Amino acid sequence: MNDTETGAAHPQPKYKRVMLKISGEALMGDQGYGLNPPTVQRIANEVKSVHDMGVEICMVIGGGNIFRGLQGSAQGMERTTADYMGMLATVMNALAMQSALEDLGVFTRVVSAIPMDQVCEPYIRRRAVRHLEKGRVVIFAAGTGNPYFTTDTAATLRANEMTCEAIFKGTKVDGVYDKDPNKFPDAKRYDHVSYDEALAKRLGVMDASAIALARDNKMPIIVFSLDEPGGFRGILAGEGTYTTVSG
């Protein structure tokens, strides 16, 4: 039975089109590595609940649960090679999320910056926009397709190209703090922080390139807890605890 049949109406969402950026580590669950299917399914349920509100959703998922280019480079691997390996890890995560979403009846497209026609679509901006307009969730994989750029930067770039209204950064804590709240009980949470303050204080919202790109295009970044059930939907309905990074 849907909401129309029960007489309940979806709240009017705060944004019509958004980018959800999550780390690869978010898919690990309690494991130390790889994909945890129940965790992937739980996040897919969160995405579906927002999709059901009529919100158009793009996603970028990191690859750190499988391979992190920077760490590979630090261990002596050539940086460009390591970064390409990290990009391939993001494709694996995107396919896992696509499978979980489609199990829930949400039409989803994986769009890769590195062409691999047998498994996903190549990135063509106008085609990706059309998918969103048709109500499909679009998962952007393989970062920007270039080494030396993080998935944070890829998420900000794609959010701007898709004319999203905000970037939602799902983390393990419910916003941006002045220090790690898991280590310091007196850590202070910000309701709002400016782009320049996030950069100057190195608050760890996203990497500097991503924040600067968001600032230059006046794209707000909303940092919230992905571990909080219903948190993503709640913010779009005007509720919940989060930090907004904007001008």
Side-chain angles (χ1 to χ4, degrees):
M1 187 177 286
N2 62 31
D3 282 351
T4 308
E5 290 167 328
T6 59
H10 287 301
Q12 189 64 32
K14 196 172 176 183
Y15 301 106
K16 180 68 179 149
R17 181 180 293 174
V18 300
M19 165 64 73
L20 174 62
K21 165 63 172 70
I22 61 177
S23 67
E25 287 90 343
L27 306 184
M28 291 192 309
D30 294 330
Q31 301 171 174
Y33 176 83
L35 288 155
N36 178 245
T39 302
V40 177
Q41 198 64 52
R42 178 181 64 78
I43 295 171
N45 278 312
E46 296 283 323
V47 173
K48 181 182 187 298
S49 71
V50 171
H51 184 265
D52 288 347
M53 297 170 77
V55 177
E56 296 172 359
I57 305 168
C58 330
M59 294 180 70
V60 167
I61 308 171
N65 56 321
I66 298 169
F67 189 86
R68 187 177 287 282
L70 210 53
Q71 287 176 355
S73 175
Q75 291 169 15
M77 189 177 287
E78 198 253 326
R79 173 67 190 269
T80 303
T81 300
D83 279 356
Y84 279 124
M85 291 172 68
M87 289 179 220
L88 294 176
T90 71
V91 177
M92 295 169 70
N93 286 338
L95 293 172
M97 184 58 65
Q98 178 185 42
S99 176
L101 283 166
E102 294 200 328
D103 278 349
L104 298 171
V106 179
F107 292 109
T108 308
R109 295 289 186 273
V110 174
V111 176
S112 172
I114 299 173
M116 45 185 86
D117 296 345
Q118 282 84 351
V119 293
C120 53
E121 292 183 11
Y123 176 64
I124 299 168
R125 190 187 70 84
R126 292 175 68 93
R127 185 191 289 178
V129 169
R130 190 76 183 113
H131 287 321
L132 290 171
E133 290 170 349
K134 288 184 174 179
R136 297 164 185 156
V137 172
V138 178
I139 307 175
F140 294 107
T144 64
N146 302 290
Y148 296 94
F149 288 92
T150 66
T151 49
D152 278 347
T153 303
T156 310
L157 174 65
R158 297 292 185 238
N160 281 296
E161 288 180 303
M162 296 297 108
T163 62
C164 291
E165 295 171 67
I167 299 168
F168 279 71
K169 174 80 184 280
T171 67
K172 292 194 173 295
V173 291
D174 59 356
V176 178
Y177 286 77
D178 59 351
K179 49 193 169 185
D180 188 342
N182 295 318
K183 295 178 183 172
F184 302 97
D186 62 337
K188 171 177 164 277
R189 188 182 64 79
Y190 298 97
D191 284 328
H192 176 266
V193 63
S194 70
Y195 302 115
D196 290 338
E197 196 177 355
L199 286 167
K201 293 184 177 177
R202 298 176 180 264
L203 293 175
V205 178
M206 284 180 155
D207 68 74
S209 300
I211 295 172
L213 184 59
R215 178 191 62 194
D216 293 348
N217 292 279
K218 298 181 172 59
M219 175 74 67
I221 304 165
I222 294 165
V223 183
F224 72 107
S225 172
L226 201 62
D227 292 340
E228 185 68 37
F232 186 24
R233 186 182 191 280
I235 295 167
L236 280 148
E239 304 158 2
T241 305
Y242 56 91
T243 300
T244 304
V245 183
S246 61

